Amino acid sequence: LTAVLGFRSDKAPFVVPTLRIWHSGQGTVNTTTEEPVLKYEGLGKFYTPLVVFQVAELDGSNDAPEVLLSEYSGGVHCCASVTVFSQDSEGIWQTIEVGHFDGEPFWATDIQGSDGYVIQTYDNRFLYQFDCYACSRAPRRIFAIESGQVADISDRAAFVPLFREDARRMEEEMSEGERGRNGFWAGYVATKARAGEFDEAWEMMLANYVEPHGFPEVLEAFLKETGYISPDRVVDLPHDVAG
């Protein structure tokens, strides 16, 4: 596999990242004379784009490693645009749009419990959901490419130790100010749910959350909607909410 990242400046005033991929299976590739199996143009910018470019084994179902391109789109609290290029079951190269994530471009990583490289970020759905951006905490979120599809694998048992470590770190770093922030408690309870310790975290949240009184009920619905707890899970609620 040969992948070449370049930048086009002939579309002034934009600078556009360009990606070309060659795959020979065996032997060498002449990038001068041979046509690439895939060509891709990224996001155009008025300045030199901030880009992460990586060749890694993200999908074990095919015969070639994948190419990841993560680009910074610009904007407030935004965005790493992540695209993966992968060979399908018939050997045809395809473009997989993984998504847009808060922050700067990032690499795929081989983390504890993963089978190969995964795309690791944090759950952007928590940002602004219960508090301001800076006041929010969001749990780790893990994506894999499986048979050419993007899969959220955060709830797999292999990652429970990672979420337990995340929860322990959140407890150590918890400030007095955060004890009164619903944005913190939402992220903490979700992290503990992934760690298999939901009940303990829920009771801590009930003892520390602040107005509005309906926060536990709203958080319960949100955690069920986003898959952190099952839809039929029964949780304790304050008397003024449960009636």
Side-chain angles (χ1 to χ4, degrees):
L1 181 74
T2 301
V4 176
L5 176 68
F7 295 92
R8 292 182 56 186
S9 57
D10 58 336
K11 292 187 176 181
F14 296 102
V15 178
V16 180
T18 63
L19 177 66
R20 293 174 295 159
I21 298 173
W22 290 263
H23 182 233
S24 63
Q26 295 180 347
T28 59
V29 172
N30 187 326
T31 59
T32 303
T33 60
E34 295 183 36
E35 277 294 309
V37 294
L38 186 142
K39 297 179 182 179
Y40 180 83
E41 285 196 352
L43 303 174
K45 292 294 174 188
F46 288 103
Y47 48 85
T48 302
L50 179 59
V51 174
V52 165
F53 168 57
Q54 180 184 19
V55 176
E57 183 57 81
L58 287 162
D59 189 349
S61 68
N62 55 24
D63 296 329
E66 280 62 51
V67 179
L68 178 146
L69 185 67
S70 182
E71 307 173 73
Y72 183 59
S73 68
V76 178
H77 308 316
C78 210
C79 272
S81 175
V82 180
T83 308
V84 169
F85 307 92
S86 179
Q87 187 186 54
D88 68 14
S89 59
E90 297 180 354
I92 299 172
W93 282 80
Q94 61 179 327
T95 299
I96 303 169
E97 299 293 343
V98 180
H100 299 270
F101 306 96
D102 179 61
E104 295 183 351
F106 53 89
W107 305 92
T109 54
D110 183 5
I111 62 174
Q112 178 186 347
S114 65
D115 183 15
Y117 280 73
V118 294
I119 297 166
Q120 182 179 209
T121 179
Y122 54 91
D123 197 335
N124 292 188
R125 294 172 293 186
F126 284 75
L127 303 179
Y128 292 116
Q129 183 68 34
F130 301 101
D131 217 325
C132 69
Y133 175 88
C135 312
S136 300
R137 288 289 193 105
R140 184 195 301 254
R141 199 172 185 194
I142 305 166
F143 296 95
I145 307 297
E146 297 182 336
S147 299
Q149 302 295 318
V150 181
D152 184 343
I153 60 172
S154 309
D155 62 351
R156 293 188 180 171
F159 301 123
V160 165
L162 289 178
F163 284 102
R164 287 181 177 167
E165 178 61 22
D166 290 345
R168 184 193 64 79
R169 190 177 301 111
M170 291 176 76
E171 292 162 359
E172 290 180 349
E173 297 173 354
M174 185 191 310
S175 66
E176 285 301 317
E178 281 188 314
R179 277 188 173 273
R181 308 291 321 205
N182 291 345
F184 170 82
W185 288 113
Y188 177 70
V189 169
T191 299
K192 292 282 275 186
R194 288 280 189 250
E197 300 168 345
F198 170 77
D199 291 334
E200 172 188 327
W202 188 260
E203 292 304 316
M204 288 181 65
M205 179 277 296
L206 290 178
N208 290 278
Y209 81 96
V210 295
E211 301 285 351
H213 290 296
F215 169 68
E217 187 178 43
V218 173
L219 178 59
E220 176 197 7
F222 180 76
L223 294 177
K224 289 180 175 180
E225 179 185 348
T226 51
Y228 284 87
I229 58 176
S230 64
D232 58 353
R233 181 71 178 262
V234 178
V235 303
D236 292 333
L237 292 171
H239 293 302
D240 58 341
V241 174

